[in-house]
Amino acid sequence: MSENNEIKELKEKLFLQRKNGCTRINDEELAACDKFCEGYKSFLDSSKTEREAVTSSVKLLESNGFVPFKKGMSLNAGDRVYTVNRGKAVIASIIGTAPIQEGTRICAAHIDSPRLDLKQNPVYEDNDIALFKTHYYGGIKKYQWTAIPLSLHGVIIKADGESITVCIGEDENDPVFCVTDLLPHLANEQMKRPLAQGIKGEELNIIIGSRPFKNTDESGAVKLNILNILFEKYGITEADFISAELEAVPAFKAKDIGFDRSMIGSYGHDDRVCAYPSLMAAIDCKAPVHTTITVLTDKEEIGSDGNTGLLSSYLKFFIYDIAEALGSDGRTVLSASECLSADVNAALDPTFPEVNERNNCAYINRGVVVTKFTGSRGKSGSSDASAEFTGRVRRLLDKENIIWQTGELGKVDEGGGGTVAAYIANLNVDTIDLGVPVLSMHAPYEIVSKLDTYMAYRAFLAFMND
Ligand code: MN
Ligand code: MN
């Protein structure tokens, strides 16, 4: 053997392999990635808010044998149940063949995404234009939300308690809405603002109309005309906005990106790109040994507080109920459980590589990314998975030939972020983050790779079956 070959072989044996996943799978599996992502794209388009994601998920669950869970019902191995929390979060579970005290396999993703929420008294008229005031939800770069088409989704609870579901701007024939930005010709002063203030929170106003009621020049006639249209369409008055949750999101559809169609551009990959694969893994998981729990939660983007976020007890209560139905108790089951916190990580962006440390960041197409810890300023706020549990997940992924990589969010002290991992770990569950790398995360249009998305599905399925 030549010296060169020996060096090459030794390198292969001793160095961490970090290659484009496309070089490591065959054409058949690459085709499986593409096929899986067709389903994902339609899920994206029909699930732009947490409520819509719950509706789409329940539809998929019910058509695949899952039935609503009721406390006190008897449960047996193979039973498939789900429960919805206030229309904004859903838990699906398959009862395993092993005794429940041996623990569950939890996959936890979130279905809320950054957006513009309407204020409670949103409608106003200014200079003959009617607008909505908004309060942004989650971490956004505000300037990105101007001059793009927006659709409006949500619910309005009327004075008499009736609930109206709203979805305008998704159908080809629907109107859309828009936040304006200054023309460059008159933006001399605005362009001197730091980027974070290029557009300020109170400048995120959405245009909703411009014609006066019955073409009168009465003051407030444009606003009156809009309210009249809304009254005729929904039977609502201005006061009904107070008891509404209306969310403006990008009106774009999910599309393939690139000449090679290797990626998907869409609003809301964070975190539907983990929610959909973990939901499909639950649906495709046939007879698990350990009971599986798939939770698609709300409120992650604003810190997980509130009764539909994972800092609330709803997941814990569900597991307690399952444990009880199977003759055990919640603390025993939780203490023996394992969790993949299914959330995205940042992919290295070739245009902005300086925020990452190249040996420890995620890359598009290198597979699902395992993130041992998140947090910021010295891992603060992270649950930091143990070497033992990281090793266990590593062995599982390798055994199943799943393409995966390790990656942390950015350079040390560059910034940071968190996921729901810490809140589940706090229930005494072994937890690690595993998800899909994203380009332009939290932008109105985010990008993921089809290979990574499919590898996430395979990872969740392997974990549930293990
Ligand atoms: Mn996320
Ligand atoms: Mn996020």
Side-chain angles (χ1 to χ4, degrees):
M1 189 191 296
S2 76
E3 199 173 295
N4 270 353
N5 271 346
E6 191 188 334
I7 290 172
K8 213 177 160 203
E9 271 181 25
L10 198 59
K11 270 183 162 176
E12 209 143 280
K13 181 174 156 193
L14 298 182
F15 281 14
L16 175 63
Q17 298 299 317
R18 295 158 63 79
K19 287 185 192 156
N20 187 318
C22 300
T23 66
R24 298 169 57 193
I25 61 175
N26 58 29
D27 288 351
E28 201 179 314
E29 197 167 15
L30 213 46
C33 299
D34 295 349
K35 187 168 170 234
F36 180 80
C37 287
E38 289 305 304
Y40 175 46
K41 283 188 285 179
S42 45
F43 182 84
L44 281 166
D45 290 342
S46 62
S47 316
K48 289 198 174 179
T49 65
E50 59 284 357
R51 287 176 192 267
E52 290 173 0
V54 166
T55 304
S56 311
S57 301
V58 166
K59 219 180 271 175
L60 282 165
L61 288 167
E62 286 191 337
S63 58
N64 284 281
F66 287 78
V67 300
F69 172 75
K70 290 186 187 67
K71 187 171 158 57
M73 77 196 282
S74 79
L75 291 174
N76 298 295
D79 284 355
R80 295 152 85 84
V81 294
Y82 76 89
T83 188
V84 170
N85 179 6
R86 297 171 169 85
K88 300 200 242 182
V90 59
I91 305 174
S93 177
I94 309 168
I95 307 304
T97 50
I100 190 73
Q101 47 272 31
E102 288 182 17
T104 63
R105 300 281 185 264
I106 306 167
C107 288
H110 67 91
I111 46 178
D112 61 319
S113 294
R115 60 187 189 241
L116 304 180
D117 283 347
L118 297 200
K119 292 190 182 188
Q120 292 338 103
N121 182 20
V123 191
Y124 71 106
E125 176 180 330
D126 195 350
N127 284 293
D128 294 342
I129 294 180
L131 302 107
F132 278 147
K133 291 300 293 181
T134 69
H135 195 141
Y136 65 97
Y137 173 99
I140 62 167
K141 293 165 92 173
K142 299 180 196 81
Y143 70 88
Q144 293 179 333
W145 293 72
T146 66
I148 57 169
L150 299 170
S151 56
L152 193 67
H153 302 242
V155 296
I156 303 167
I157 306 301
K158 287 165 61 171
D160 63 2
E162 188 197 347
S163 173
I164 311 275
T165 300
V166 175
C167 179
I168 311 170
E170 295 298 332
D171 190 276
E172 259 330 290
N173 300 313
D174 281 355
V176 293
F177 310 94
C178 194
V179 175
T180 52
D181 196 359
L182 263 182
L183 60 169
H185 318 62
L186 296 179
N188 281 345
E189 286 309 309
Q190 184 202 24
M191 301 277 253
K192 289 180 199 149
R193 297 182 190 173
L195 191 59
Q197 288 162 35
I199 293 289
K200 298 176 185 171
E202 292 293 352
E203 292 169 344
L204 289 169
N205 304 317
I206 299 174
I207 290 206
I208 57 169
S210 65
R211 282 187 187 163
F213 183 70
K214 296 207 165 152
N215 299 323
T216 60
D217 61 1
E218 190 78 21
S219 78
V222 178
K223 170 177 167 176
L224 179 65
N225 193 42
I226 294 299
L227 286 174
N228 189 52
I229 290 169
L230 292 175
F231 182 73
E232 284 176 354
K233 186 169 163 91
Y234 298 112
I236 61 164
T237 67
E238 192 172 17
D240 293 326
F241 282 103
I242 295 170
S243 49
E245 285 183 321
L246 292 167
E247 308 173 3
V249 301
F252 323 132
K253 304 278 183 230
K255 291 262 189 190
D256 289 348
I257 291 210
F259 290 116
D260 58 5
R261 297 178 168 260
S262 59
M263 297 163 281
I264 304 168
S266 175
Y267 166 68
H269 281 312
D270 177 8
D271 185 32
R272 285 162 188 77
V273 75
C274 297
Y276 180 76
S278 55
L279 182 74
M280 291 316 290
I283 283 169
D284 294 340
C285 179
K286 294 307 172 210
V289 175
H290 295 96
T291 295
T292 73
I293 310 261
T294 303
V295 53
L296 308 184
T297 194
D298 182 30
K299 293 287 180 278
E300 192 278 340
E301 293 295 357
I302 57 168
S304 294
D305 281 305
N307 55 15
T308 52
L310 273 185
L311 273 171
S312 96
S313 296
Y314 80 93
L315 173 64
K316 183 170 96 176
F317 289 165
F318 177 78
I319 292 176
Y320 272 54
D321 288 347
I322 294 265
E324 201 175 290
L326 292 160
S328 185
D329 61 277
R331 57 169 286 184
T332 305
V333 173
L334 277 170
S335 303
S337 289
E338 297 178 340
C339 172
L340 296 181
S341 163
D343 208 345
V344 299
N345 200 331
L348 179 129
D349 185 333
T351 307
F352 304 102
E354 63 279 3
V355 300
N356 283 301
E357 186 265 289
R358 287 171 180 275
N359 292 333
N360 287 281
C361 66
Y363 295 77
I364 284 278
N365 278 328
R366 286 192 188 174
V368 72
V369 53
V370 175
T371 303
K372 186 175 175 291
F373 57 85
T374 59
S376 54
R377 294 163 288 102
K379 302 190 179 182
S380 184
S382 168
S383 53
D384 202 354
S386 69
E388 289 82 354
F389 188 57
T390 310
R392 142 129 177 78
V393 170
R394 177 186 161 202
R395 283 193 301 282
L396 175 68
L397 297 173
D398 284 341
K399 186 178 81 172
E400 300 289 334
N401 289 317
I402 291 161
I403 313 274
W404 68 280
Q405 58 185 323
T406 178
E408 65 176 275
L409 184 68
K411 277 181 177 167
V412 176
D413 288 343
E414 187 73 41
T419 65
V420 301
Y423 313 132
I424 296 176
N426 287 348
L427 298 170
N428 198 29
V429 174
D430 271 317
T431 307
I432 195 165
D433 278 298
L434 184 148
V436 175
V438 178
L439 288 167
S440 304
M441 194 198 295
H442 282 207
Y445 206 59
E446 304 174 313
I447 298 174
V448 298
S449 112
K450 291 183 179 178
L451 180 141
D452 299 336
T453 305
Y454 182 64
M455 289 300 155
Y457 160 76
R458 287 203 46 218
F460 301 138
L461 186 57
F463 177 67
M464 289 179 190
N465 274 323
D466 187 66

